[in-house]
């Protein structure tokens, strides 16, 4: 499987960095199976950091993940909503996974998720409001063992 990482720099050797903001699945190295999503991430990251240029790095993922703890959310479910909310509040205290895969809580969805996190709407209402959204996927590599399953394949510059 090919995965893409959008950034403002080439990433040949992925690392888990402590982010300056809370992320959907916690601190990790984030990729997606969508080249378009990675291109958007690269442009946003370059603008946010005000340096570098939009770059998408391609990785192949080893198919043998049986010895890793992989948590997969097939769609935006209540479990996904709770997991994302806890991570975005830096309040997740559950089991540590090597890889978490599932929908992206992006700029289009953050108003709904923010309302859920603030207690303004319940989970069922939030999920109904999220249904019309086309949510791209994301794969968060949360352990060094998981990162070792990625193989650098190449880079592409993105027009911003």
């Amino acid at each position: 499987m090919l995965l893409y990482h959008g950034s403002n720099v080439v990433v040949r050797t992925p690392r888990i960095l402590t982010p300056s903001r809370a992320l959907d699945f916690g601190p990790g190295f984030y990729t997606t199976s969508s080249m378009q999503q990675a291109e958007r991430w690269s442009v946003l990251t370059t603008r946010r950091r005000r340096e570098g240029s939009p770059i998408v790095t391609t990785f192949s993922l080893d198919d043998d993940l049986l010895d890793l703890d992989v948590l997969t959310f097939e769609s935006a479910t209540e479990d996904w909503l709770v997991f994302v909310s806890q991570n975005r509040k830096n309040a997740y205290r559950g089991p540590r996974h090597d890889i978490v895969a599932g929908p992206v809580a992006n700029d289009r969805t953050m108003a709904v998720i923010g309302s859920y996190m603030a207690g303004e709407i319940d989970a069922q209402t939030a999920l109904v409001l999220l249904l019309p959204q086309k949510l791209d996927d994301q794969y968060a590599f949360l352990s060094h063992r998981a990162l070792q399953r990625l193989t650098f394949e190449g880079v592409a510059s993105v027009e911003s």
Side-chain angles (χ1 to χ4, degrees):
M1 164 188 274
L2 290 180
L3 294 173
Y4 308 99
H5 175 78
S7 185
N8 63 323
V9 296
V10 174
V11 179
R12 291 184 188 279
T13 306
R15 294 181 298 151
I16 297 171
L17 303 176
T18 302
S20 59
R21 58 191 172 83
L23 301 174
D24 290 354
F25 299 154
F29 180 75
Y30 281 72
T31 63
T32 179
S33 66
S34 167
M35 173 62 95
Q36 293 159 327
Q37 176 69 22
E39 288 172 349
R40 285 191 297 271
W41 284 345
S42 72
V43 170
L44 290 171
T45 300
T46 302
R47 286 182 186 153
R48 186 180 307 122
R49 294 182 180 162
R50 296 183 182 151
E51 62 183 5
S53 59
I55 300 285
V56 172
T57 306
T58 303
F59 296 93
S60 57
L61 175 61
D62 184 346
D63 289 335
D64 180 17
L65 304 176
L66 294 177
D67 62 325
L68 297 179
D69 182 344
V70 179
L71 175 62
T72 302
F73 296 100
E74 297 296 332
S75 63
T77 62
E78 187 169 350
D79 287 341
W80 170 82
L81 186 61
V82 168
F83 189 79
V84 168
S85 297
Q86 288 177 346
N87 277 295
R88 288 207 167 240
K89 291 179 180 179
N90 287 316
Y92 178 72
R93 302 293 179 255
R96 294 292 164 199
H97 306 285
D98 295 305
I99 300 172
V100 178
V104 174
N106 58 30
D107 292 341
R108 296 183 314 261
T109 62
M110 280 316 298
V112 173
I113 292 171
S115 292
Y116 169 75
M117 289 172 38
E120 297 166 358
I121 59 174
D122 63 14
Q124 281 65 42
T125 302
L127 292 172
V128 166
L129 293 170
L130 291 172
L131 277 177
Q133 303 289 336
K134 182 195 173 300
L135 302 177
D136 287 316
D137 64 23
Q138 61 186 338
Y139 293 78
F141 292 79
L142 309 177
S143 73
H144 296 291
R145 287 180 350 130
L147 288 176
Q148 292 173 351
R149 304 303 170 88
L150 290 173
T151 302
F152 173 83
E153 295 293 336
V155 298
S157 296
V158 177
E159 293 293 322
S160 53

